[in-house]
Amino acid sequence: NAGVMQNPRHLVRRRGQEARLRCSPMKGHSHVYWYRQLPEEGLKFMVYLQKENIIDESGMPKERFSAEFPKEGPSILRIQQVVRGDSAAYFCASSVGPSWGEQYFGPGTRLTVT
Amino acid sequence: SQQGEEDPQALSIQEGENATMNCSYKTSINNLQWYRQNSGRGLVHLILIRSNEREKHSGRLRVTLDTSKKSSSLLITASRAADTASYFCATDDGGSNYKLTFGKGTLLTVNP
């Protein structure tokens, strides 16, 4: 019974490159959430997706960041033209549904921009 | 400022002692959750308490919620070295259940 899977676990990108982070939710979960954790900070909500739909992207920067959760395959968080300030841990969580409240987190992807 | 703020920022105790961490928040909530994060790793869900609940137990964990004071506490009894981790409370905003806000956490160190 696998939990939330994220890959890669560590990602190094040079400034200006693109970063793609993947998240496979727990079996039976169709709701996915992305959070960002800056050093010494708590997690900050970025976006909430269901299959093929973005439900709430109020926490996502307006430029360079996008997210998708296609009908088949993992959810993808894409960061274009990365900058040093994008260096952070990006966590994906999934749930059975938003009304339940409980979100189960993956191990995170640690992005380092050099 | 943060919706959920943990206190203290750091706590160091001996194995076998109890550890108490507190969380305060500012707006109405539906649920409050506690998570544990080991250094450099993901978050592990510990317990969820709903706004109409006052206390909840899970193994060595005891969580209380006081909605009038907008505060919660997490008690870990008979602590073990393996409990060493950062502990975060996460709250929703009372409107949606899904948009969790985390504090900066309490770093608990349990010395053997």
Side-chain angles (χ1 to χ4, degrees), chain A residues 55-88:
Chain A
I55 307 301
D56 183 345
E57 56 182 348
S58 59
M60 198 130 82
K62 295 283 187 285
E63 296 179 355
R64 302 187 298 107
F65 285 71
S66 62
E68 62 178 13
F69 190 14
K71 189 175 179 181
E72 301 290 338
S75 175
I76 307 283
L77 179 67
R78 183 180 174 209
I79 311 172
Q80 295 178 291
Q81 299 175 321
V82 295
V83 300
R84 288 235 171 93
D86 297 333
S87 294

PDB file of all heavy atoms in Angstrom, chain A residues 55-88:
ATOM      1  N   ILE A  55      -8.351  23.344  -8.965  1.00  0.00           N
ATOM      2  CA  ILE A  55      -9.454  23.821  -8.130  1.00  0.00           C
ATOM      3  C   ILE A  55      -9.098  25.149  -7.463  1.00  0.00           C
ATOM      4  O   ILE A  55      -9.921  26.056  -7.384  1.00  0.00           O
ATOM      5  CB  ILE A  55      -9.825  22.789  -7.048  1.00  0.00           C
ATOM      6  CG1 ILE A  55     -10.078  21.417  -7.670  1.00  0.00           C
ATOM      7  CG2 ILE A  55     -11.017  23.262  -6.238  1.00  0.00           C
ATOM      8  CD1 ILE A  55     -11.191  21.414  -8.713  1.00  0.00           C
ATOM      9  N   ASP A  56      -7.872  25.251  -6.982  1.00  0.00           N
ATOM     10  CA  ASP A  56      -7.471  26.452  -6.261  1.00  0.00           C
ATOM     11  C   ASP A  56      -5.970  26.631  -6.451  1.00  0.00           C
ATOM     12  O   ASP A  56      -5.201  25.786  -6.025  1.00  0.00           O
ATOM     13  CB  ASP A  56      -7.821  26.309  -4.771  1.00  0.00           C
ATOM     14  CG  ASP A  56      -7.495  27.540  -3.945  1.00  0.00           C
ATOM     15  OD1 ASP A  56      -6.739  28.424  -4.402  1.00  0.00           O
ATOM     16  OD2 ASP A  56      -8.003  27.617  -2.806  1.00  0.00           O
ATOM     17  N   GLU A  57      -5.585  27.702  -7.122  1.00  0.00           N
ATOM     18  CA  GLU A  57      -4.152  27.971  -7.318  1.00  0.00           C
ATOM     19  C   GLU A  57      -3.769  29.287  -6.665  1.00  0.00           C
ATOM     20  O   GLU A  57      -2.829  29.953  -7.091  1.00  0.00           O
ATOM     21  CB  GLU A  57      -3.794  27.960  -8.797  1.00  0.00           C
ATOM     22  CG  GLU A  57      -4.599  28.925  -9.649  1.00  0.00           C
ATOM     23  CD  GLU A  57      -4.244  28.834 -11.136  1.00  0.00           C
ATOM     24  OE1 GLU A  57      -3.231  28.208 -11.481  1.00  0.00           O
ATOM     25  OE2 GLU A  57      -5.001  29.418 -11.944  1.00  0.00           O
ATOM     26  N   SER A  58      -4.478  29.638  -5.627  1.00  0.00           N
ATOM     27  CA  SER A  58      -4.288  30.939  -5.004  1.00  0.00           C
ATOM     28  C   SER A  58      -2.924  31.113  -4.359  1.00  0.00           C
ATOM     29  O   SER A  58      -2.477  32.229  -4.140  1.00  0.00           O
ATOM     30  CB  SER A  58      -5.383  31.183  -3.954  1.00  0.00           C
ATOM     31  OG  SER A  58      -5.353  30.176  -2.968  1.00  0.00           O
ATOM     32  N   GLY A  59      -2.236  30.014  -4.058  1.00  0.00           N
ATOM     33  CA  GLY A  59      -0.926  30.116  -3.429  1.00  0.00           C
ATOM     34  C   GLY A  59       0.232  30.014  -4.404  1.00  0.00           C
ATOM     35  O   GLY A  59       1.393  30.032  -3.992  1.00  0.00           O
ATOM     36  N   MET A  60      -0.068  29.930  -5.653  1.00  0.00           N
ATOM     37  CA  MET A  60       0.969  29.738  -6.645  1.00  0.00           C
ATOM     38  C   MET A  60       1.387  31.084  -7.232  1.00  0.00           C
ATOM     39  O   MET A  60       0.530  31.900  -7.566  1.00  0.00           O
ATOM     40  CB  MET A  60       0.462  28.840  -7.762  1.00  0.00           C
ATOM     41  CG  MET A  60       1.573  28.244  -8.575  1.00  0.00           C
ATOM     42  SD  MET A  60       1.371  26.511  -8.745  1.00  0.00           S
ATOM     43  CE  MET A  60       0.209  26.544 -10.067  1.00  0.00           C
ATOM     44  N   PRO A  61       2.695  31.318  -7.381  1.00  0.00           N
ATOM     45  CA  PRO A  61       3.141  32.549  -8.045  1.00  0.00           C
ATOM     46  C   PRO A  61       2.520  32.632  -9.436  1.00  0.00           C
ATOM     47  O   PRO A  61       2.338  31.628 -10.123  1.00  0.00           O
ATOM     48  CB  PRO A  61       4.659  32.373  -8.126  1.00  0.00           C
ATOM     49  CG  PRO A  61       4.990  31.454  -7.007  1.00  0.00           C
ATOM     50  CD  PRO A  61       3.830  30.512  -6.898  1.00  0.00           C
ATOM     51  N   LYS A  62       2.194  33.835  -9.831  1.00  0.00           N
ATOM     52  CA  LYS A  62       1.455  34.017 -11.091  1.00  0.00           C
ATOM     53  C   LYS A  62       2.310  33.693 -12.310  1.00  0.00           C
ATOM     54  O   LYS A  62       1.795  33.264 -13.349  1.00  0.00           O
ATOM     55  CB  LYS A  62       0.972  35.475 -11.199  1.00  0.00           C
ATOM     56  CG  LYS A  62      -0.047  35.874 -10.147  1.00  0.00           C
ATOM     57  CD  LYS A  62      -1.411  35.324 -10.472  1.00  0.00           C
ATOM     58  CE  LYS A  62      -2.487  35.826  -9.539  1.00  0.00           C
ATOM     59  NZ  LYS A  62      -2.448  35.202  -8.220  1.00  0.00           N
ATOM     60  N   GLU A  63       3.598  33.872 -12.194  1.00  0.00           N
ATOM     61  CA  GLU A  63       4.467  33.658 -13.340  1.00  0.00           C
ATOM     62  C   GLU A  63       5.399  32.475 -13.079  1.00  0.00           C
ATOM     63  O   GLU A  63       5.766  32.187 -11.947  1.00  0.00           O
ATOM     64  CB  GLU A  63       5.302  34.920 -13.621  1.00  0.00           C
ATOM     65  CG  GLU A  63       4.437  36.107 -14.009  1.00  0.00           C
ATOM     66  CD  GLU A  63       5.256  37.357 -14.263  1.00  0.00           C
ATOM     67  OE1 GLU A  63       6.486  37.330 -14.053  1.00  0.00           O
ATOM     68  OE2 GLU A  63       4.652  38.368 -14.676  1.00  0.00           O
ATOM     69  N   ARG A  64       5.729  31.795 -14.111  1.00  0.00           N
ATOM     70  CA  ARG A  64       6.735  30.731 -14.182  1.00  0.00           C
ATOM     71  C   ARG A  64       6.280  29.417 -13.559  1.00  0.00           C
ATOM     72  O   ARG A  64       6.860  28.383 -13.836  1.00  0.00           O
ATOM     73  CB  ARG A  64       8.067  31.163 -13.536  1.00  0.00           C
ATOM     74  CG  ARG A  64       8.699  32.401 -14.138  1.00  0.00           C
ATOM     75  CD  ARG A  64      10.091  32.666 -13.569  1.00  0.00           C
ATOM     76  NE  ARG A  64      10.054  32.921 -12.128  1.00  0.00           N
ATOM     77  CZ  ARG A  64      10.475  32.044 -11.208  1.00  0.00           C
ATOM     78  NH1 ARG A  64      10.953  30.879 -11.562  1.00  0.00           N
ATOM     79  NH2 ARG A  64      10.417  32.366  -9.932  1.00  0.00           N
ATOM     80  N   PHE A  65       5.261  29.429 -12.729  1.00  0.00           N
ATOM     81  CA  PHE A  65       4.798  28.210 -12.063  1.00  0.00           C
ATOM     82  C   PHE A  65       3.497  27.720 -12.704  1.00  0.00           C
ATOM     83  O   PHE A  65       2.600  28.515 -12.979  1.00  0.00           O
ATOM     84  CB  PHE A  65       4.535  28.460 -10.578  1.00  0.00           C
ATOM     85  CG  PHE A  65       5.768  28.577  -9.736  1.00  0.00           C
ATOM     86  CD1 PHE A  65       6.583  29.699  -9.841  1.00  0.00           C
ATOM     87  CD2 PHE A  65       6.115  27.575  -8.844  1.00  0.00           C
ATOM     88  CE1 PHE A  65       7.730  29.811  -9.062  1.00  0.00           C
ATOM     89  CE2 PHE A  65       7.260  27.686  -8.053  1.00  0.00           C
ATOM     90  CZ  PHE A  65       8.062  28.799  -8.166  1.00  0.00           C
ATOM     91  N   SER A  66       3.417  26.406 -12.905  1.00  0.00           N
ATOM     92  CA  SER A  66       2.170  25.823 -13.374  1.00  0.00           C
ATOM     93  C   SER A  66       2.051  24.418 -12.804  1.00  0.00           C
ATOM     94  O   SER A  66       3.042  23.799 -12.426  1.00  0.00           O
ATOM     95  CB  SER A  66       2.113  25.799 -14.905  1.00  0.00           C
ATOM     96  OG  SER A  66       3.159  24.986 -15.423  1.00  0.00           O
ATOM     97  N   ALA A  67       0.826  23.926 -12.748  1.00  0.00           N
ATOM     98  CA  ALA A  67       0.592  22.583 -12.223  1.00  0.00           C
ATOM     99  C   ALA A  67      -0.486  21.922 -13.042  1.00  0.00           C
ATOM    100  O   ALA A  67      -1.385  22.589 -13.576  1.00  0.00           O
ATOM    101  CB  ALA A  67       0.191  22.643 -10.748  1.00  0.00           C
ATOM    102  N   GLU A  68      -0.396  20.607 -13.121  1.00  0.00           N
ATOM    103  CA  GLU A  68      -1.412  19.844 -13.813  1.00  0.00           C
ATOM    104  C   GLU A  68      -1.561  18.484 -13.147  1.00  0.00           C
ATOM    105  O   GLU A  68      -0.654  17.986 -12.473  1.00  0.00           O
ATOM    106  CB  GLU A  68      -1.068  19.671 -15.293  1.00  0.00           C
ATOM    107  CG  GLU A  68       0.218  18.902 -15.543  1.00  0.00           C
ATOM    108  CD  GLU A  68       0.491  18.701 -17.030  1.00  0.00           C
ATOM    109  OE1 GLU A  68      -0.159  19.341 -17.863  1.00  0.00           O
ATOM    110  OE2 GLU A  68       1.359  17.868 -17.341  1.00  0.00           O
ATOM    111  N   PHE A  69      -2.719  17.901 -13.365  1.00  0.00           N
ATOM    112  CA  PHE A  69      -3.003  16.550 -12.869  1.00  0.00           C
ATOM    113  C   PHE A  69      -3.823  15.877 -13.968  1.00  0.00           C
ATOM    114  O   PHE A  69      -5.039  15.935 -13.973  1.00  0.00           O
ATOM    115  CB  PHE A  69      -3.776  16.621 -11.557  1.00  0.00           C
ATOM    116  CG  PHE A  69      -3.921  15.309 -10.837  1.00  0.00           C
ATOM    117  CD1 PHE A  69      -3.170  14.196 -11.176  1.00  0.00           C
ATOM    118  CD2 PHE A  69      -4.826  15.202  -9.795  1.00  0.00           C
ATOM    119  CE1 PHE A  69      -3.310  12.995 -10.500  1.00  0.00           C
ATOM    120  CE2 PHE A  69      -4.968  13.994  -9.103  1.00  0.00           C
ATOM    121  CZ  PHE A  69      -4.212  12.903  -9.458  1.00  0.00           C
ATOM    122  N   PRO A  70      -3.127  15.267 -14.917  1.00  0.00           N
ATOM    123  CA  PRO A  70      -3.827  14.709 -16.077  1.00  0.00           C
ATOM    124  C   PRO A  70      -4.664  13.489 -15.714  1.00  0.00           C
ATOM    125  O   PRO A  70      -4.504  12.904 -14.638  1.00  0.00           O
ATOM    126  CB  PRO A  70      -2.685  14.351 -17.034  1.00  0.00           C
ATOM    127  CG  PRO A  70      -1.501  14.160 -16.146  1.00  0.00           C
ATOM    128  CD  PRO A  70      -1.678  15.081 -14.989  1.00  0.00           C
ATOM    129  N   LYS A  71      -5.497  13.100 -16.650  1.00  0.00           N
ATOM    130  CA  LYS A  71      -6.366  11.936 -16.442  1.00  0.00           C
ATOM    131  C   LYS A  71      -5.539  10.689 -16.148  1.00  0.00           C
ATOM    132  O   LYS A  71      -5.891   9.856 -15.309  1.00  0.00           O
ATOM    133  CB  LYS A  71      -7.224  11.726 -17.691  1.00  0.00           C
ATOM    134  CG  LYS A  71      -8.308  10.700 -17.539  1.00  0.00           C
ATOM    135  CD  LYS A  71      -9.181  10.641 -18.792  1.00  0.00           C
ATOM    136  CE  LYS A  71     -10.260   9.587 -18.647  1.00  0.00           C
ATOM    137  NZ  LYS A  71     -11.090   9.506 -19.889  1.00  0.00           N
ATOM    138  N   GLU A  72      -4.436  10.566 -16.852  1.00  0.00           N
ATOM    139  CA  GLU A  72      -3.532   9.444 -16.615  1.00  0.00           C
ATOM    140  C   GLU A  72      -2.178   9.988 -16.182  1.00  0.00           C
ATOM    141  O   GLU A  72      -1.704  10.975 -16.743  1.00  0.00           O
ATOM    142  CB  GLU A  72      -3.357   8.633 -17.904  1.00  0.00           C
ATOM    143  CG  GLU A  72      -4.656   8.071 -18.471  1.00  0.00           C
ATOM    144  CD  GLU A  72      -5.236   6.963 -17.616  1.00  0.00           C
ATOM    145  OE1 GLU A  72      -4.467   6.344 -16.846  1.00  0.00           O
ATOM    146  OE2 GLU A  72      -6.459   6.730 -17.691  1.00  0.00           O
ATOM    147  N   GLY A  73      -1.560   9.349 -15.231  1.00  0.00           N
ATOM    148  CA  GLY A  73      -0.226   9.751 -14.841  1.00  0.00           C
ATOM    149  C   GLY A  73      -0.193  10.655 -13.630  1.00  0.00           C
ATOM    150  O   GLY A  73      -1.234  11.024 -13.068  1.00  0.00           O
ATOM    151  N   PRO A  74       1.018  11.032 -13.233  1.00  0.00           N
ATOM    152  CA  PRO A  74       1.178  11.794 -11.992  1.00  0.00           C
ATOM    153  C   PRO A  74       0.811  13.265 -12.169  1.00  0.00           C
ATOM    154  O   PRO A  74       0.679  13.768 -13.290  1.00  0.00           O
ATOM    155  CB  PRO A  74       2.684  11.656 -11.707  1.00  0.00           C
ATOM    156  CG  PRO A  74       3.302  11.526 -13.053  1.00  0.00           C
ATOM    157  CD  PRO A  74       2.323  10.746 -13.881  1.00  0.00           C
ATOM    158  N   SER A  75       0.703  13.931 -11.068  1.00  0.00           N
ATOM    159  CA  SER A  75       0.583  15.382 -11.085  1.00  0.00           C
ATOM    160  C   SER A  75       1.980  15.963 -11.311  1.00  0.00           C
ATOM    161  O   SER A  75       2.981  15.419 -10.830  1.00  0.00           O
ATOM    162  CB  SER A  75       0.014  15.875  -9.759  1.00  0.00           C
ATOM    163  OG  SER A  75      -0.010  17.288  -9.720  1.00  0.00           O
ATOM    164  N   ILE A  76       2.047  17.057 -12.031  1.00  0.00           N
ATOM    165  CA  ILE A  76       3.319  17.703 -12.344  1.00  0.00           C
ATOM    166  C   ILE A  76       3.269  19.142 -11.863  1.00  0.00           C
ATOM    167  O   ILE A  76       2.301  19.873 -12.138  1.00  0.00           O
ATOM    168  CB  ILE A  76       3.581  17.739 -13.868  1.00  0.00           C
ATOM    169  CG1 ILE A  76       3.461  16.344 -14.482  1.00  0.00           C
ATOM    170  CG2 ILE A  76       4.933  18.385 -14.165  1.00  0.00           C
ATOM    171  CD1 ILE A  76       4.634  15.449 -14.256  1.00  0.00           C
ATOM    172  N   LEU A  77       4.306  19.542 -11.143  1.00  0.00           N
ATOM    173  CA  LEU A  77       4.530  20.952 -10.826  1.00  0.00           C
ATOM    174  C   LEU A  77       5.706  21.402 -11.678  1.00  0.00           C
ATOM    175  O   LEU A  77       6.788  20.806 -11.611  1.00  0.00           O
ATOM    176  CB  LEU A  77       4.829  21.152  -9.337  1.00  0.00           C
ATOM    177  CG  LEU A  77       5.108  22.602  -8.900  1.00  0.00           C
ATOM    178  CD1 LEU A  77       3.847  23.451  -9.030  1.00  0.00           C
ATOM    179  CD2 LEU A  77       5.624  22.649  -7.465  1.00  0.00           C
ATOM    180  N   ARG A  78       5.486  22.417 -12.461  1.00  0.00           N
ATOM    181  CA  ARG A  78       6.494  22.871 -13.420  1.00  0.00           C
ATOM    182  C   ARG A  78       6.918  24.286 -13.077  1.00  0.00           C
ATOM    183  O   ARG A  78       6.071  25.167 -12.870  1.00  0.00           O
ATOM    184  CB  ARG A  78       5.898  22.808 -14.820  1.00  0.00           C
ATOM    185  CG  ARG A  78       6.824  23.165 -15.948  1.00  0.00           C
ATOM    186  CD  ARG A  78       6.058  23.045 -17.256  1.00  0.00           C
ATOM    187  NE  ARG A  78       6.831  23.497 -18.379  1.00  0.00           N
ATOM    188  CZ  ARG A  78       6.298  24.011 -19.481  1.00  0.00           C
ATOM    189  NH1 ARG A  78       4.997  24.138 -19.587  1.00  0.00           N
ATOM    190  NH2 ARG A  78       7.073  24.392 -20.474  1.00  0.00           N
ATOM    191  N   ILE A  79       8.207  24.481 -12.999  1.00  0.00           N
ATOM    192  CA  ILE A  79       8.749  25.810 -12.733  1.00  0.00           C
ATOM    193  C   ILE A  79       9.661  26.167 -13.902  1.00  0.00           C
ATOM    194  O   ILE A  79      10.672  25.505 -14.143  1.00  0.00           O
ATOM    195  CB  ILE A  79       9.555  25.864 -11.417  1.00  0.00           C
ATOM    196  CG1 ILE A  79       8.773  25.225 -10.269  1.00  0.00           C
ATOM    197  CG2 ILE A  79       9.898  27.319 -11.082  1.00  0.00           C
ATOM    198  CD1 ILE A  79       9.588  25.064  -8.988  1.00  0.00           C
ATOM    199  N   GLN A  80       9.285  27.187 -14.610  1.00  0.00           N
ATOM    200  CA  GLN A  80      10.088  27.620 -15.754  1.00  0.00           C
ATOM    201  C   GLN A  80      11.084  28.691 -15.326  1.00  0.00           C
ATOM    202  O   GLN A  80      10.821  29.466 -14.396  1.00  0.00           O
ATOM    203  CB  GLN A  80       9.173  28.182 -16.852  1.00  0.00           C
ATOM    204  CG  GLN A  80       8.241  27.145 -17.445  1.00  0.00           C
ATOM    205  CD  GLN A  80       7.312  27.748 -18.494  1.00  0.00           C
ATOM    206  OE1 GLN A  80       6.424  28.525 -18.158  1.00  0.00           O
ATOM    207  NE2 GLN A  80       7.524  27.400 -19.738  1.00  0.00           N
ATOM    208  N   GLN A  81      12.219  28.723 -16.026  1.00  0.00           N
ATOM    209  CA  GLN A  81      13.234  29.766 -15.802  1.00  0.00           C
ATOM    210  C   GLN A  81      13.509  29.951 -14.312  1.00  0.00           C
ATOM    211  O   GLN A  81      13.330  31.032 -13.763  1.00  0.00           O
ATOM    212  CB  GLN A  81      12.774  31.081 -16.438  1.00  0.00           C
ATOM    213  CG  GLN A  81      12.575  30.953 -17.940  1.00  0.00           C
ATOM    214  CD  GLN A  81      11.993  32.228 -18.546  1.00  0.00           C
ATOM    215  OE1 GLN A  81      11.142  32.865 -17.952  1.00  0.00           O
ATOM    216  NE2 GLN A  81      12.485  32.568 -19.731  1.00  0.00           N
ATOM    217  N   VAL A  82      13.948  28.894 -13.681  1.00  0.00           N
ATOM    218  CA  VAL A  82      14.124  28.922 -12.231  1.00  0.00           C
ATOM    219  C   VAL A  82      15.121  29.988 -11.808  1.00  0.00           C
ATOM    220  O   VAL A  82      16.068  30.322 -12.536  1.00  0.00           O
ATOM    221  CB  VAL A  82      14.570  27.544 -11.686  1.00  0.00           C
ATOM    222  CG1 VAL A  82      13.483  26.501 -11.902  1.00  0.00           C
ATOM    223  CG2 VAL A  82      15.893  27.104 -12.298  1.00  0.00           C
ATOM    224  N   VAL A  83      14.862  30.516 -10.595  1.00  0.00           N
ATOM    225  CA  VAL A  83      15.762  31.496  -9.979  1.00  0.00           C
ATOM    226  C   VAL A  83      16.175  30.943  -8.616  1.00  0.00           C
ATOM    227  O   VAL A  83      15.569  29.988  -8.113  1.00  0.00           O
ATOM    228  CB  VAL A  83      15.074  32.867  -9.814  1.00  0.00           C
ATOM    229  CG1 VAL A  83      14.656  33.403 -11.178  1.00  0.00           C
ATOM    230  CG2 VAL A  83      13.877  32.786  -8.884  1.00  0.00           C
ATOM    231  N   ARG A  84      17.200  31.565  -8.024  1.00  0.00           N
ATOM    232  CA  ARG A  84      17.734  31.058  -6.752  1.00  0.00           C
ATOM    233  C   ARG A  84      16.646  30.989  -5.683  1.00  0.00           C
ATOM    234  O   ARG A  84      16.621  30.080  -4.855  1.00  0.00           O
ATOM    235  CB  ARG A  84      18.890  31.932  -6.275  1.00  0.00           C
ATOM    236  CG  ARG A  84      20.154  31.757  -7.090  1.00  0.00           C
ATOM    237  CD  ARG A  84      21.348  31.386  -6.218  1.00  0.00           C
ATOM    238  NE  ARG A  84      22.486  31.018  -7.048  1.00  0.00           N
ATOM    239  CZ  ARG A  84      23.427  31.870  -7.426  1.00  0.00           C
ATOM    240  NH1 ARG A  84      23.364  33.142  -7.043  1.00  0.00           N
ATOM    241  NH2 ARG A  84      24.424  31.471  -8.178  1.00  0.00           N
ATOM    242  N   GLY A  85      15.736  31.947  -5.711  1.00  0.00           N
ATOM    243  CA  GLY A  85      14.681  31.980  -4.708  1.00  0.00           C
ATOM    244  C   GLY A  85      13.691  30.821  -4.794  1.00  0.00           C
ATOM    245  O   GLY A  85      12.880  30.641  -3.891  1.00  0.00           O
ATOM    246  N   ASP A  86      13.768  30.055  -5.884  1.00  0.00           N
ATOM    247  CA  ASP A  86      12.890  28.879  -6.002  1.00  0.00           C
ATOM    248  C   ASP A  86      13.453  27.688  -5.234  1.00  0.00           C
ATOM    249  O   ASP A  86      12.756  26.669  -5.084  1.00  0.00           O
ATOM    250  CB  ASP A  86      12.728  28.483  -7.479  1.00  0.00           C
ATOM    251  CG  ASP A  86      12.045  29.554  -8.303  1.00  0.00           C
ATOM    252  OD1 ASP A  86      11.252  30.332  -7.732  1.00  0.00           O
ATOM    253  OD2 ASP A  86      12.304  29.631  -9.532  1.00  0.00           O
ATOM    254  N   SER A  87      14.675  27.796  -4.772  1.00  0.00           N
ATOM    255  CA  SER A  87      15.273  26.701  -3.995  1.00  0.00           C
ATOM    256  C   SER A  87      14.449  26.471  -2.734  1.00  0.00           C
ATOM    257  O   SER A  87      14.265  27.372  -1.913  1.00  0.00           O
ATOM    258  CB  SER A  87      16.716  27.051  -3.602  1.00  0.00           C
ATOM    259  OG  SER A  87      17.548  27.127  -4.744  1.00  0.00           O
ATOM    260  N   ALA A  88      13.949  25.270  -2.606  1.00  0.00           N
ATOM    261  CA  ALA A  88      13.055  24.950  -1.499  1.00  0.00           C
ATOM    262  C   ALA A  88      12.747  23.460  -1.562  1.00  0.00           C
ATOM    263  O   ALA A  88      13.133  22.770  -2.514  1.00  0.00           O
ATOM    264  CB  ALA A  88      11.746  25.747  -1.595  1.00  0.00           C
TER     265      ALA A  88
END
